[in-house]
Amino acid sequence: MTTKTISHWVDGKSFVGTSTKTAPVTNPATGEVTAQVALASVEDTRAAIDAAAAAFPAWRDTSLAKRVQILFKFRELLNERKPELAKIITSEHGKVLDDALGEVTRGQEVVEFACGIPHLLKGGMTENASTKVDVFSIRQPIGPVAAISPFNFPAMVPMWFFPIAIATGNTVVLKPSEKDPSAAIWMAELWAEAGLPAGVFNVLQGDKTSVDELLTNSGIKAISFVGSTPIAQYVYNTGTAHGKRVQALGGAKNHMVVLPDADLDLAADAAVNAGFGSAGERCMAISALVAVGGVGDELVAKINERAKTIKTGDGTKGCDMGPLVTKQHRDKVASYVDAGEADGATIALDGRQVQPDGGENGFWLGPTVIDNVTPDMSVYTDEIFGPVLSVLRVESYDDALELINSNPYGNGTAIFTNDGGAARRFQNEVEVGMVGINVPIPVPMAYYSFGGWKSSLFGDTHAHGAEGIHFFTRGKVITERWLDPSHGGLNLGFPQSHH
Ligand code: NAD
């Protein structure tokens, strides 16, 4: 029996709340329930929103110099202690330690980007737009904002948003996934240590009840959501209907095209890394490999050769690939492999038979390669979110492009080729937000923006980079004249600048 309960962080301290509802948190490598996470009631959610609202006026007026000092301190502490955070991620998510550390480092890059906020927030100024009339623009914070994040990146995805929201003068309520809730609390404690005033960063543990309150409560001015497509669509529709600014990033089905002239060893390495890294539980994972013009047999052979060497097991034991996040998710992913087989695809490598280096009750599924997949099969149409790589064979570049552009998702994609002209065509013609050329997981750097197209993102603003700054601020333009004796007296005409 476990008694540990993971609760909320509100107004600079741990907050138990009134709800008695909880959900189990498991270690996916052992199957053991390690804690219960509190699931916030509407009342608890309001307490977090109130704390963020109360902290907002003072934080928005805190100087950029002071904000930057706190951001730098947070970055230093994070950099120093990230192995602790990686361990927490591995214990609740299951991904191997190296990968967890990589996730934290990518999140840290957004913190580093946000440290440059004085430069990023500079407005424009025009002197003498009309005689002795000056015009200037500024960007101001929008108020308390909420971030709602998925299980697969419990540290990085929240860090796509909160460093920038905080740097631009907003206060934040983060609602992490109930499957791996501890990383958010660890980060909240780090903020407190870095000197962030109480109430600027709050963590609310919860499920749909708390999300619905965040979406409808007038105290929250903007929502950054990341998760599956149906929930992203719901969050976008509900949040915008309640007058909020919303960016809602959804699911994915990422294609990797291999042209006949590609270096097949490079392509095979890339397909294995991008297909099975983090057990395929990445929104940028490659799940559909598109072999063009007869390279299929050789490519699948090379992929199998490599995928067979992957050591699946407990993420703390130096394995290459960890378990899936829950038993339910593991079984769902395995059921797609069954469906692919029943639909007539070839199971070229079968992860259902894996012998893991981990607990007998862990949520294991080894690397799986399904060949001869066609676009009507559920292994292709659905986002599986597991270590399952489907291989589709097409005749030409045009067929590959048509396949990708008819897919409802448009998060990431990659092309492998040695032909610069073909790559140039692909980057121009493909209807996907993030494109890799001989790079299988083209996650943009913090100073660019992350976001997909079509059903992979609802809203019009991508995460971090310039678009992140824009999302968390409102523009204001000031037109200014200091009166002197030559002012024009009464004039009811529309202001124009012809003098
Ligand atoms: P999910 O949609 O189940 O959950 C995401 C968040 O929404 C969680 O905080 C969860 O508590 C909340 N939620 C779940 N059901 C809800 C409901 N009915 N009403 C209100 N809130 C609800 O997603 P997940 O399983 O945690 O994460 C995996 C998904 O996230 C995949 O589809 C993956 O592609 C996607 N993802 C996308 C990106 C991206 O950048 N586009 C990044 C990471 C993950």
Side-chain angles (χ1 to χ4, degrees):
M1 264 303 283
T2 169
T3 49
K4 185 179 158 197
T5 303
I6 300 159
S7 59
H8 322 286
W9 182 271
V10 172
D11 201 21
K13 50 192 177 300
S14 184
F15 172 67
V16 174
T18 57
S19 162
T20 51
K21 249 176 85 184
T22 60
V25 178
T26 47
N27 179 337
T30 61
E32 182 199 350
V33 175
T34 52
Q36 295 287 328
V37 61
L39 299 176
S41 61
V42 168
E43 206 182 351
D44 300 338
T45 310
R46 287 185 184 154
I49 297 171
D50 289 349
F56 179 59
W59 183 245
R60 93 189 265 285
D61 288 339
T62 299
S63 72
L64 285 172
K66 179 71 190 164
R67 285 188 220 162
V68 162
Q69 208 180 10
I70 296 169
L71 280 159
F72 265 96
K73 182 76 186 166
F74 181 81
R75 186 270 170 201
E76 283 307 289
L77 291 171
L78 182 63
N79 190 49
E80 217 172 275
R81 299 218 207 121
K82 57 188 167 189
E84 277 174 42
L85 182 55
K87 252 168 100 173
I88 291 172
I89 295 170
T90 297
S91 70
E92 293 182 354
H93 175 285
K95 66 176 73 175
V96 301
L97 271 175
D98 268 4
D99 192 34
L101 204 55
E103 142 170 20
V104 178
T105 299
R106 291 307 300 260
Q108 184 180 316
E109 288 169 7
V110 184
V111 180
E112 288 160 2
F113 170 72
C115 286
I117 197 64
H119 186 69
L120 297 163
L121 263 189
K122 283 195 291 193
M125 163 91 190
T126 303
E127 189 184 41
N128 269 340
S130 186
T131 306
K132 294 191 177 167
V133 173
D134 302 333
V135 181
F136 59 98
S137 66
I138 56 178
R139 295 203 69 87
Q140 297 188 319
I142 44 184
V145 300
I148 301 161
S149 54
F151 81 82
N152 68 321
F153 284 109
M156 182 187 77
V157 165
M159 281 195 273
W160 283 352
F161 306 109
F162 70 65
I164 296 176
I166 290 173
T168 48
N170 302 279
T171 55
V172 177
V173 177
L174 167 64
K175 206 301 284 169
S177 167
E178 59 275 41
K179 296 189 180 109
D180 42 18
S182 295
I185 296 292
W186 189 91
M187 293 189 288
E189 287 169 356
L190 208 68
W191 271 124
E193 201 176 326
L196 190 71
V200 176
F201 182 70
N202 307 279
V203 176
L204 190 70
Q205 310 291 2
D207 56 10
K208 181 171 166 56
T209 304
S210 49
V211 171
D212 283 348
E213 182 60 21
L214 293 169
L215 294 178
T216 54
N217 189 304
S218 62
I220 294 290
K221 306 301 177 194
I223 304 273
S224 299
F225 172 90
V226 181
S228 57
T229 287
I231 312 292
Q233 171 109 62
Y234 166 76
V235 163
Y236 182 76
N237 292 348
T238 313
T240 52
H242 285 82
K244 299 179 204 312
R245 192 178 280 198
V246 182
Q247 50 180 186
L249 285 68
K253 193 81 191 177
N254 305 311
H255 298 69
M256 171 171 152
V257 176
V258 182
L259 294 187
D261 71 316
D263 174 338
L264 293 189
D265 287 304
L266 176 74
D269 284 344
V272 169
N273 295 340
F276 305 126
S278 199
E281 290 171 326
R282 289 180 181 145
C283 63
M284 291 290 276
I286 292 296
S287 55
L289 187 72
V290 187
V292 179
V295 293
D297 287 346
E298 197 183 340
L299 188 58
V300 170
K302 285 180 184 291
I303 286 172
N304 269 356
E305 217 173 87
R306 289 162 170 79
K308 269 184 202 152
T309 67
I310 291 176
K311 239 175 80 192
T312 303
D314 190 321
T316 61
K317 288 187 173 172
C319 297
D320 304 310
M321 194 180 98
L324 290 170
V325 69
T326 58
K327 166 138 195 354
Q328 191 192 24
H329 186 56
R330 183 263 164 221
D331 292 347
K332 185 172 162 209
V333 174
S335 78
Y336 275 109
V337 183
D338 301 343
E341 199 169 25
D343 288 343
T346 316
I347 311 297
L349 183 66
D350 193 343
R352 293 169 297 187
Q353 319 293 338
V354 74
Q355 300 292 324
D357 180 6
E360 59 179 303
N361 297 318
F363 314 137
W364 308 111
L365 189 71
T368 300
V369 179
I370 311 188
D371 199 0
N372 299 307
V373 169
T374 54
D376 54 313
M377 295 179 186
S378 65
V379 280
Y380 177 74
T381 55
D382 296 6
E383 181 186 35
I384 298 179
F385 223 56
V388 179
L389 187 64
S390 295
V391 183
L392 295 95
R393 293 155 185 251
V394 299
E395 289 297 312
S396 64
Y397 164 87
D398 287 317
D399 295 340
L401 185 74
E402 162 73 19
L403 187 69
I404 299 173
N405 286 353
S406 2
N407 193 282
Y409 297 106
N411 211 42
T413 188
I415 189 165
F416 278 72
T417 178
N418 280 313
D419 178 344
R424 173 67 175 67
R425 255 191 83 186
F426 187 72
Q427 79 188 40
N428 175 259
E429 294 173 342
V430 76
E431 288 170 18
V432 172
M434 295 172 280
V435 181
I437 295 171
N438 298 320
V439 171
I441 305 202
V443 174
M445 297 303 289
Y447 42 92
Y448 284 88
S449 298
F450 182 108
W453 287 11
K454 304 194 282 186
S455 295
S456 294
L457 191 145
F458 302 92
D460 41 27
T461 312
H462 291 188
H464 61 69
E467 296 201 27
I469 302 288
H470 198 270
F471 183 79
F472 288 116
T473 54
R474 293 191 282 196
K476 189 182 267 184
V477 179
I478 294 122
T479 303
E480 180 181 65
R481 170 170 57 194
W482 292 102
L483 293 182
D484 65 26
S486 67
H487 75 85
L490 282 181
N491 179 356
L492 301 192
F494 196 68
Q496 297 170 61
S497 62
H498 35 57
H499 61 284

